[in-house]
Amino acid sequence: MRVVAAMSGGVDSAVAASRMVEAGHEVVGVHLALSQSAATLRESARGCCTIEDAGDARRVADRLGIPFYVWDMAERFREDVMEDFVAEYAAGRTPNPCLRCNEKIKFAALLDKALGLGFDAVATGHYAQIVQAADGRRELHRAVDAAKDQSYVLGVLDEDQLVHAFFPLGDTTKPAIREEAAARGFSVAKKPDSHDICFIPDGDTRGFLAGRLGEQPGELVTTDGEVVGTHAGAFGFTVGQRRGLGIDRSRLDGEPRYVVDVDAPTNRVVIGTAELLGVRQITGEHARWCGPVPIGTIRAGAQVRAHGEEVGCAAYQGPAGELEVTLDAPIRGVAPGQSVVLYDGTRVIGSATISSTRAHPQSR
């Protein structure tokens, strides 16, 4: 097969590309330029997509003896990921930019371009597995290395996209990948992983948002409406947050307080005690299915964070396309804008963007 290997410049994508070459595929390495003003050096372990990263990817491609190209997708990334990220926070929601990047960039823009150029598939360094089912369908499954499993952020892929996807690392642990990279002579074998949000390399999400949305002074209030503090913008808060609230604790009883709601229209951040964070009912929109659309109510496992706990649930897709999920046990700190991903054992069933939550399940 003719395969585009997405090469970020890190150890994972390097080994993924080498495994595709070793498997006998005709491989071309592609580095995605996602920043319109890429930094020259990768000064910390947080960021990625620097000129240094592109150079690291090129050196691996040279060692593998495969063609290497840089594809400029900075404008598409800015529109579909960064602007979406800012708009979601401005609306009081908590987005996951990694899911959006996989959906809109790596398995839409990149895959579409690859197919248009005559390639058969895209391979990435994600930790997940594709399993061939008895009926011939390609299923998305969790990785062997639970600590590195990235199936959650791939839950936005549909059945057609999985046909054209390879995840060569899913059957291997991260330490073994580094050992393999060293054995192959890759200079990136000990390169630190990137963390957090790639376009916020310093990790200051609130500062990033403030720079784009400006300060928007507002009130911190209790669930009874009592003002107990102020803030510089509701966009800087998310449901479940405890630190950095700026609360006047002299007006409280000493019990910890958490963000329980972000009211964007009024620019108010509502705080409350821990018991108010438990969610039993989730409604999702923009459902994406990794296989056939489930019929009727199904039993599944629900996960709302990349490495969060999986909780048993009953789920069904309503007549308007909405996904209704009733959890067997409450999950704390679930915010609109996050994604709920459904599992059947290790298999990913699909996902949806959370639009609303309730503390108590409602009967249909």
Side-chain angles (χ1 to χ4, degrees):
M1 297 180 70
R2 301 189 68 221
V3 178
V4 166
M7 302 181 70
S8 67
V11 62
D12 295 327
S13 61
V15 174
S18 66
R19 288 186 171 188
M20 296 306 292
V21 171
E22 195 171 67
H25 299 290
E26 181 185 343
V27 180
V28 171
V30 170
H31 179 80
L32 299 183
L34 302 179
S35 174
Q36 294 176 315
S37 56
T40 301
L41 298 177
R42 189 174 188 262
E43 297 176 349
S44 74
R46 287 181 176 272
C48 64
C49 308
T50 64
I51 295 173
E52 178 186 1
D53 291 314
D56 287 340
R58 182 180 294 278
R59 282 185 284 275
V60 170
D62 289 344
R63 191 169 185 87
L64 292 174
I66 62 174
F68 178 82
Y69 300 94
V70 175
W71 287 359
D72 184 359
M73 293 192 176
E75 182 62 22
R76 181 75 180 265
F77 183 80
R78 182 186 65 80
E79 293 176 355
D80 290 344
V81 180
M82 295 178 65
E83 289 186 0
D84 173 80
F85 180 83
V86 173
E88 285 288 273
Y89 267 105
R93 293 155 62 96
T94 304
N96 186 316
C98 293
L99 277 94
R100 201 62 61 234
C101 182
N102 285 329
E103 177 188 0
K104 299 289 188 179
I105 306 300
K106 293 174 183 173
F107 293 94
L110 173 61
L111 179 57
D112 288 349
K113 183 171 181 177
L115 295 177
L117 291 173
F119 289 91
D120 302 300
V122 166
T124 72
H126 286 99
Y127 283 80
Q129 298 186 86
I130 291 181
V131 176
Q132 196 86 17
D135 62 1
R137 295 181 185 274
R138 288 165 67 84
E139 298 177 345
L140 177 63
H141 284 251
R142 289 189 185 277
V144 167
D145 190 338
K148 298 299 295 183
D149 175 53
Q150 292 174 294
S151 60
Y152 174 85
V153 296
L154 294 169
V156 290
L157 304 188
D158 62 29
E159 190 172 12
D160 291 338
Q161 291 169 323
L162 290 176
V163 169
H164 301 286
F166 284 101
F167 306 120
L169 309 188
D171 62 352
T172 312
T173 64
K174 182 60 178 265
I177 291 297
R178 289 198 179 277
E179 291 176 5
E180 183 175 334
R184 293 180 182 274
F186 294 158
S187 60
V188 296
K190 294 183 178 180
K191 186 174 180 177
D193 293 337
S194 58
H195 295 285
D196 300 317
I197 301 168
C198 67
F199 53 87
I200 310 179
D202 63 0
D204 183 9
T205 300
R206 186 179 292 184
F208 172 85
L209 292 169
R212 283 150 180 80
L213 297 173
E215 287 199 2
Q216 301 175 14
E219 298 173 334
L220 283 134
V221 301
T222 66
T223 52
D224 296 327
E226 180 185 359
V227 178
V228 292
T230 59
H231 61 75
F235 54 77
F237 298 84
T238 185
V239 173
Q241 180 177 333
R242 178 183 176 185
R243 298 183 182 277
L245 301 185
I247 303 172
D248 181 358
R249 295 188 177 277
S250 66
R251 303 176 65 176
L252 302 174
D253 55 14
E255 190 174 351
R257 294 298 194 276
Y258 303 81
V259 175
V260 297
D261 186 38
V262 179
D263 189 348
T266 65
N267 197 29
R268 279 189 158 195
V269 176
V270 183
I271 62 170
T273 50
E275 65 267 18
L276 298 178
L277 291 175
V279 165
R280 287 288 303 279
Q281 185 89 36
I282 293 171
T283 298
E285 59 189 8
H286 188 53
R288 303 272 295 183
W289 301 106
C290 301
V293 178
I295 299 174
T297 299
I298 62 169
R299 289 293 306 172
Q303 187 172 322
V304 299
R305 297 179 183 87
H307 295 286
E309 178 186 6
E310 182 183 321
V311 175
C313 72
Y316 80 99
Q317 183 165 314
E322 74 280 8
L323 179 66
E324 296 290 348
V325 178
T326 302
L327 301 165
D328 295 347
I331 300 178
R332 285 176 52 174
V334 183
Q338 291 176 320
S339 290
V340 55
V341 177
L342 301 180
Y343 290 84
D344 176 12
T346 62
R347 180 175 69 90
V348 182
I349 301 172
S351 69
T353 302
I354 298 170
S355 55
S356 64
T357 64
R358 290 180 291 278
H360 303 286
Q362 296 181 347
S363 59
R364 289 195 277 135

